[in-house]
Amino acid sequence: MRRERNERARRAAGIALAVALTATAAGCGSAAQTPVSETWDDLFGTVVTVSLYDKMSEKEAGAVLAAIRARGEVIQNTMTAHSPGSEIGAVRAAGGQTPVPVSEDTYGLLTLALEVAALSGGAFDPTVEPLVALWGIGTETAAVPAEADIARARALVDYRRVTLDGAGRTAYLPETGMGLDLGGIAKGYAADEANRLLDEADVAHAILDFGGNVVLRGGHPEGKPWRVGIRKPVLGEDGYACVVSLRDGAVVTSGGYERYFVAADGAVYHHIMDPATGRPAETGLLSATIVCDNSTRADALSTACFVLGLDGALALLDALDGVEGVLIASDRTIHTTPGLADVFAVADERYVWVNAP
Ligand code: ADP
Ligand code: MG
């Protein structure tokens, strides 16, 4: 099944890897049939929308939606750093003391997270939790920390120090104060899992949007690809900078505009940390979008690319097969990887596609 999907997406990649950012699959034709759609605003601290475009009974659709929602809740509860009953939280609490047995879900996702951490040289790092907690961005206590506190937290961030033991399926952090944060990858995983449930339910056409982690399925029932808008990442600008058209695949964006606070002096601090500096990543990129067949990987890679900045992101993407990207810099220039050339379009003339074919 997975192989089949990979093949499909790979074929699509040449022609049409599609990206939707935050919900709107723009303009799919006026005669378009209305999807059965549900939106939840209480999962992963974001808005989740599932839209099913197959002809199906209300009962069938209801069952599929309920299964997706239930799966999402399980993923959220086991993998959110600070939710009660969180396995990630339990691993943190036992840091410096003892390995903690975790579910297959958590173990698998940690394994993937560490892989992307290694690939990106630690730009994506699931042990970023002490920095996330210190800055508190997105919470009411967000504030610019003292340098000494930043240095202390930064010293606790290092994915190479995580020990995963497959035999006992345990995770271990060797030092008290170390922690795990899967916020940069868990939504992508939830979207992949939702897509797997759609496989099982034989749903052919659907759009899943887990807070900007979009999974496209089967193209529009009328035969057209889905069109996914990538949001303008400049603070204060609404709407889409560009669009990707694609039938199947994941389109995931990380941007500094999603969650941030403005300090007394007007400086903006967003929620994506650069583990190398201990501060919000400032590389000149305003957003990084990944297009590939796996939303989990795309989620982690989009965060990694945002932290790496334009040159680092292009180098990383160049080294990966079947992974494409759209990088938007603060001067409103857009850089795409070669595989997107035929499926990409600019949607606002103020944005300049610098490597347009
Ligand atoms: P969003 O959650 O807004 O879609 P991302 O996927 O980029 O955006 O994830 C950002 C979240 O990931 C942060 O809120 C934080 O929990 C976590 N995080 C922040 N910096 C990093 C990093 N360098 N590596 C891994 N996770 C990070
Ligand atoms: Mg991410």
Side-chain angles (χ1 to χ4, degrees):
M1 195 57 99
R2 167 136 292 180
R3 161 116 348 125
E4 245 168 60
R5 237 197 294 144
N6 286 352
E7 277 310 310
R8 226 182 330 136
R10 202 163 294 134
R11 251 180 288 132
I15 332 160
L17 272 200
V19 180
L21 202 35
T22 19
T24 341
C28 295
S30 50
Q33 90 195 47
T34 321
V36 179
S37 181
E38 244 180 57
T39 295
W40 306 307
D41 63 2
D42 57 348
L43 284 181
F44 302 103
T46 186
V47 178
V48 174
T49 301
V50 178
S51 305
L52 311 176
Y53 284 78
D54 286 19
K55 288 201 173 65
M56 57 204 302
S57 71
E58 223 171 273
K59 193 170 159 210
E60 282 170 318
V64 172
L65 290 166
I68 289 176
R69 163 136 194 134
R71 187 77 183 104
E73 282 176 10
V74 168
I75 293 170
Q76 163 178 271
N77 294 338
T78 50
M79 302 194 200
T80 301
H82 298 284
S83 77
S86 151
E87 295 183 351
I88 291 305
V91 174
R92 177 181 189 279
Q97 300 160 54
T98 176
V100 175
V102 295
S103 61
E104 248 175 80
D105 262 351
T106 301
Y107 193 86
L109 195 57
L110 276 172
T111 305
L112 242 161
L114 293 177
E115 268 171 38
V116 176
L119 266 179
S120 66
F124 176 88
D125 190 328
T127 68
V128 75
E129 190 273 345
L131 283 170
V132 172
L134 177 69
W135 284 79
I137 293 173
T139 72
E140 282 175 10
T141 55
V144 181
E147 287 301 334
D149 291 335
I150 293 176
R152 214 171 297 130
R154 191 159 71 88
L156 292 165
V157 177
D158 187 349
Y159 68 93
R160 292 165 297 191
R161 300 179 70 199
V162 180
T163 305
L164 295 183
D165 174 14
R169 215 171 62 211
T170 58
Y172 178 60
L173 299 171
E175 190 175 339
T176 307
M178 287 183 77
L180 296 168
D181 182 328
L182 295 177
I185 188 172
K187 279 180 291 177
Y189 180 60
D192 275 336
E193 284 295 286
N195 197 33
R196 190 177 58 74
L197 292 169
L198 294 180
D199 271 346
E200 285 175 6
D202 277 330
V203 173
H205 309 280
I207 300 176
L208 302 160
D209 182 352
F210 281 61
N213 290 243
V214 175
V215 172
L216 305 166
R217 202 176 156 81
H220 191 276
E222 287 170 357
K224 283 173 274 182
W226 300 116
R227 286 160 50 80
V228 182
I230 298 177
R231 267 219 261 158
K232 292 179 198 169
V234 174
L235 286 180
E237 289 187 13
D238 286 333
Y240 301 112
C242 48
V243 178
V244 181
S245 302
L246 155 102
R247 280 168 218 287
D248 293 281
V251 180
V252 178
T253 300
S254 286
Y257 56 86
E258 288 183 60
R259 208 177 293 166
Y260 59 91
F261 84 98
V262 182
D265 64 358
V268 174
Y269 298 91
H270 61 72
H271 70 313
I272 303 174
M273 296 291 145
D274 183 346
T277 63
R279 314 176 138 265
E282 291 298 342
T283 61
L285 278 189
L286 295 186
S287 78
T289 298
I290 299 296
V291 181
C292 70
D293 63 0
N294 179 293
S295 156
T296 314
R297 220 157 168 247
D299 195 359
L301 285 170
S302 68
T303 306
C305 284
F306 184 87
V307 172
L308 287 169
L310 183 61
D311 293 343
L314 288 173
L316 174 62
L317 296 177
D318 192 42
L320 298 173
D321 276 346
V323 180
E324 307 293 336
V326 178
L327 306 163
I328 308 184
S330 51
D331 59 2
R332 294 199 185 78
T333 53
I334 305 178
H335 303 251
T336 58
T337 54
L340 294 179
D342 295 339
V343 301
F344 181 84
V346 175
D348 181 309
E349 62 196 13
R350 279 178 302 170
Y351 287 78
V352 180
W353 185 11
V354 290
N355 61 335

